């Protein structure tokens, strides 16, 4: 142990010396009138991949490239360096006779990580490598830090997320993921533009955060001296635009939910919602299936893709099954034969499904679906006709008022989108808001509240409308074969390190701050001694888990440990796109 500590101290001393040398080099440049930070522009005529892909046309042509020096081999009067730019990397041959003696001396003093600009001619070396024969080379920015060691790269996951800029430099596949993310968003817009949709923007700071079952972040608007919330969905403002006569609208934007962080959830994430007048959820199913197939073909080159070794086939028609039929298929329970809430609760007890006393038959059907069905839905599957109790903004099915015209698309066990035949009856909507208000009064932190302006818009008149919400981050995960949501977010939410950003911390933390208008529980459950298996550490966040009372309610005839286990499973599945 003592030897290891001494080795760490020696390595830290060596690193500090290297950093000192880089600053001394910068000072020497500045003292000699060669300060790289005074350069304001550099005209680039070609990227690395363009030169390599079009070598036959560019051989012998003069080009100007720029990028980060990733390696350097100095060999007397001639040297080689490798320059990495947006499109890849390319070798440059730097000879003293070509660039001049003084410029060559400056080149030999440059470090790995420096940003350079090179003007020269394209050629192929005797070893067959396409290169640029430098005629001039200039230091554009001095790197004062040391990049990770070349052969091992940047592998520490936590550092990769915290220092994404280094991750992008060292791991080309990470850059490829985010280039592909941009392409996905571009192709979504192309698809919707082709169908006559109009992209719009709506407020992020709202007085009433509605449109989803989620706990909002709260803040204060100083100029108006009003408390406001960050939006948890895009729905209610987009529907106002449908009322206003914009028949096909969509928005791609950030929404914020004050919930947990795990491999599929981030407190702020990208959501897309779209609304189309004069269609229903059947129309939304057709649009969704067509768009997913289009995106797979455009971004991945095929409608049959692979995720984590599992083949996902989007070339075939997506399966369609009702929620009750899915529960019957995978659990053996037919809720069509269940008539009362008490009967449903009794069946839940028999199957060890945790519920709350306030839950009704529809809520319990949904709990059964989460428990028995979701993990079976690998290939694209539309789950249709949800219970009305879990769908406060959806039209009832004319043939069965206990269900609504709603579907969720599941792929690889994930909920990918959530769609409705939108409720446009203002009287019915007011009654459902009242039921949500009652749930909030009973302690449901995620219940919606009555939105009078939205009700007024419905009273003006909204046409029959189909609407849908897509979790963009989860879609990007699927199409880029990424294992965690943080892998597709450039700067994911991370807990502050000791001594970092402490000036922004507050004494009254989220877990300590009292909630407004929420009755606090007198009973406290201590999770401090609970041990989580390493494989599940990212899936369980007890700080948030402990504040979600509906997930820690347990039945008298079930061991507490089993209740906590089932509740933790539910927590790990909290929807990122529920509307």
């Amino acid at each position: 142990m003592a030897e290891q500590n001494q080795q760490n101290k020696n390595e830290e001393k060596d690193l500090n010396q290297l950093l000192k040398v880089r600053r001394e080099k910068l000072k020497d440049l500045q003292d000699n009138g060669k300060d790289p930070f005074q350069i304001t522009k550099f005209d680039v005529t070609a990227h690395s991949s363009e030169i390599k892909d079009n070598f036959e046309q560019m051989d012998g042509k003069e080009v100007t490239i720029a990028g980060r020096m990733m390696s350097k081999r100095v060999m007397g009067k001639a040297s080689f360096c490798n320059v990495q730019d947006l499109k890849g990397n390319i070798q440059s041959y730097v000879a003293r006779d070509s660039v001049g003696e003084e410029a060559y001396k400056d080149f030999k003093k440059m470090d790995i990580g420096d940003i350079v600009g090179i003007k020269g001619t394209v050629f192929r070396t005797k070893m067959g490598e396409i290169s640029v024969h430098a005629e001039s080379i200039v230091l554009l920015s001095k790197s004062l830090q040391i990049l990770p060691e070349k052969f091992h790269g940047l592998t520490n996951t936590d550092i990769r997320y915290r220092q994404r800029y280094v991750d992008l430099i060292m791991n080309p596949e990470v850059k490829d993921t985010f280039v592909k993310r941009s392409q996905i968003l571009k192709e979504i817009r192309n698809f919707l533009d082709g169908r006559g949709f109009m992209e719009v923007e709506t407020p992020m700071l709202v007085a009433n955060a509605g449109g989803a079952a989620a706990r909002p972040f709260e803040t204060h608007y100083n100029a108006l001296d009003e408390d406001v919330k960050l939006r948890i969905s895009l729905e209610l403002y987009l529907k106002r635009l449908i009322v206003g006569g914009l028949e096909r609208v969509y928005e791609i934007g950030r929404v914020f939910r004050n919930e947990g962080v795990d491999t599929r959830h981030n407190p702020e994430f990208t959501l897309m919602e779209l609304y189309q007048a004069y269609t229903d959820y059947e129309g939304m199913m057709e649009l969704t299936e067509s768009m997913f197939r289009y995106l797979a073909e455009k971004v991945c080159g095929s409608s049959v893709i692979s995720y984590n070794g599992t083949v996902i086939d989007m070339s075939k028609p997506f399966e369609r099954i009702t929620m009750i039929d899915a529960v019957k298929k995978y659990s053996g329970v037919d809720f069509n034969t269940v008539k009362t809430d008490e009967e449903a609760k009794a069946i839940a007890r028999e199957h060890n499904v945790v519920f709350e006393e306030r839950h009704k038959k529809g809520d319990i059907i949904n709990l059964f679906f989460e428990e028995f069905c979701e993990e079976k839905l690998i290939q694209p599957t539309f789950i249709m006709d949800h219970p009305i109790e879990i769908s406060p903004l959806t039209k009832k099915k004319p043939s069965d008022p206990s269900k609504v015209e709603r579907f969720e698309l599941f792929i690889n066990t994930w909920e990918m989108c959530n769609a409705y035949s939108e409720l446009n009856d203002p009287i019915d909507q007011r009654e459902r808001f009242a039921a949500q208000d009652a749930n909030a009064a009973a302690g449901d932190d995620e219940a919606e509240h009555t939105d009078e302006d939205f009700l007024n818009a419905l009273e003006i008149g909204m046409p029959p409308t189909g609407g849908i919400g897509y979790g963009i981050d989860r879609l990007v995960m699927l199409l880029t074969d990424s294992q965690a949501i943080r892998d597709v977010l450039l700067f994911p939410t991370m807990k502050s390190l000791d001594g970092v950003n402490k000036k922004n911390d507050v004494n009254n933390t989220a877990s300590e701050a009292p909630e407004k208008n929420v009755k606090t529980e007198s009973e406290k459950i201590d999770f401090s001694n609970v041990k989580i298996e390493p494989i599940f550490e990212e899936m369980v966040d007890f700080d948030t888990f402990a504040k979600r009372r509906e997930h820690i309610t347990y039945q008298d005839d079930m061991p507490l440990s089993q209740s906590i286990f089932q509740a933790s499973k539910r927590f790990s599945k909290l929807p990122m796109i529920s509307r």
Side-chain angles (χ1 to χ4, degrees), residues 119-131:
K119 182 178 181 180
T121 55
V122 177
F123 79 111
R124 192 190 294 271
T125 67
K126 292 180 181 179
M127 300 298 293
E129 184 165 356
I130 297 171
S131 307

Side-chain angles (χ1 to χ4, degrees), residues 556-571:
D556 293 337
D557 58 350
M558 183 185 297
L560 175 59
S561 59
Q562 185 176 355
S563 293
I564 293 176
F565 172 71
Q566 288 199 10
S568 67
K569 285 179 66 179
R570 288 187 60 205
F571 177 79

Side-chain angles (χ1 to χ4, degrees), residues 404-531:
V404 295
E405 293 196 344
R406 173 186 175 188
F407 73 80
E408 294 170 292
L409 172 63
F410 281 83
I411 303 178
N412 191 49
T413 76
W414 303 344
E415 176 198 344
M416 302 301 298
C417 64
N418 190 9
Y420 305 157
S421 293
E422 300 295 339
L423 180 62
N424 62 346
D425 179 347
I427 298 172
D428 189 354
Q429 181 64 77
R430 182 175 292 279
E431 292 173 354
R432 299 199 204 184
F433 272 146
Q436 289 286 301
D437 286 334
N439 289 343
D444 186 350
D445 293 343
E446 296 183 346
E448 297 189 52
H449 298 277
T450 299
D451 187 326
E452 290 293 346
D453 183 71
F454 176 66
L455 289 171
N456 183 64
L458 290 187
E459 289 175 357
I460 296 294
M462 186 176 86
T465 298
I468 191 165
Y470 301 90
I472 296 296
D473 304 318
R474 201 170 287 174
L475 174 59
V476 174
M477 287 175 64
L478 182 70
L479 295 180
T480 60
D481 198 8
S482 299
Q483 305 308 303
I485 191 171
R486 289 176 175 177
D487 293 330
V488 299
L489 299 176
L490 280 168
F491 301 102
T493 300
M494 303 289 288
K495 188 172 183 178
S496 296
L497 297 171
D498 289 341
V500 178
N501 293 333
K502 285 298 182 183
K503 65 182 180 180
N504 294 325
D505 290 346
V506 292
N507 292 328
N508 196 23
T509 64
S511 60
E512 296 167 343
E515 297 245 35
K516 294 183 179 178
N517 303 319
V518 176
K519 182 180 178 181
T520 58
E521 297 282 341
S522 58
E523 179 186 9
K524 301 293 183 182
I525 298 180
D526 182 10
F527 294 108
S528 61
N529 294 320
V530 175
K531 300 296 183 183

Side-chain angles (χ1 to χ4, degrees), residues 155-171:
T155 57
N156 183 295
T157 303
D158 189 74
I159 295 177
R160 284 182 52 227
Y161 295 148
R162 293 182 187 277
Q163 299 182 20
R164 183 68 83 187
Y165 40 91
V166 181
D167 190 24
L168 291 166
I169 293 169
M170 300 306 300
N171 297 312

